Amino acid sequence: MITSRFRRFSPKILPPYFETKKDFDKCIKCEEKSCIEVCEEGILVIEDEKPIIKFGNRGCTFCDECANVCELDVLKIENKKEKLNAELIINPQKCMAWSNTVCFSCQDVCIDRAIDFYGMFNPIINEEKCTSCGFCIGVCPSDAIEVKIKGVK
């Protein structure tokens, strides 16, 4: 069983409700940090005075709650993005399925149906379908799903 944990890496994955990265400079003035409190999945954390997503056992449901409570209008519903600023990639060298072990953990949890298997043992994340929600990361028994940060303006 996978215990609650944050991954070793520290990518700056931003909540999907901002207009520009510079908007997060306003977060320093926020005392309440309400966005952290309302995150139903518990994946929003404060780092360098700004909210970022840290995947553990959970992922982003794009529930809008962090945007609904943002007092400084850093996060706003009208700026909602369909994908997070990250790309998820399965590392074939770490993946149990790519090593000919039956494993569908990532595919089973994917709400976007974005993990395609080519044959029984070759999963690939379909970038067109993937929202980078991160649910697959926490269930992967071999930590084979890697995060690549995409640039944002």
Side-chain angles (χ1 to χ4, degrees), residues 51-120:
I52 63 167
I53 294 173
K54 289 279 188 161
F55 294 128
N57 287 345
R58 315 289 285 173
C60 182
T61 62
F62 298 82
C63 70
D64 303 339
E65 292 304 316
C66 59
N68 288 332
V69 299
C70 182
E71 298 167 13
L72 299 176
D73 287 333
V74 173
L75 306 176
K76 297 194 282 190
I77 299 291
E78 56 265 26
N79 295 331
K80 185 175 184 176
K81 293 160 184 50
E82 293 182 20
K83 295 183 178 206
L84 297 177
N85 68 306
E87 178 183 356
L88 305 184
I89 303 163
I90 297 174
N91 181 336
Q93 294 172 332
K94 290 182 177 180
C95 179
M96 292 170 54
W98 276 90
S99 297
N100 295 330
T101 299
V102 176
C103 180
F104 296 101
S105 297
C106 60
Q107 186 183 49
D108 290 345
V109 76
C110 184
I111 58 176
D112 299 310
R113 314 297 289 156
I115 300 176
D116 299 326
F117 273 74
Y118 295 94
M120 189 168 187

Side-chain angles (χ1 to χ4, degrees), residues 21-77:
K21 194 173 177 181
K22 184 131 180 75
D23 293 340
F24 286 94
D25 292 346
K26 295 187 239 175
C27 293
I28 293 170
K29 297 176 187 172
C30 180
E31 293 181 20
E32 298 298 316
K33 308 293 189 221
S34 301
C35 57
I36 304 304
E37 300 299 320
V38 299
C39 179
E40 0 177 279
E41 298 298 327
I43 60 171
L44 271 183
V45 298
I46 297 295
E47 190 171 292
D48 298 326
E49 300 289 329
K50 300 167 189 167
I52 63 167
I53 294 173
K54 289 279 188 161
F55 294 128
N57 287 345
R58 315 289 285 173
C60 182
T61 62
F62 298 82
C63 70
D64 303 339
E65 292 304 316
C66 59
N68 288 332
V69 299
C70 182
E71 298 167 13
L72 299 176
D73 287 333
V74 173
L75 306 176
K76 297 194 282 190
I77 299 291

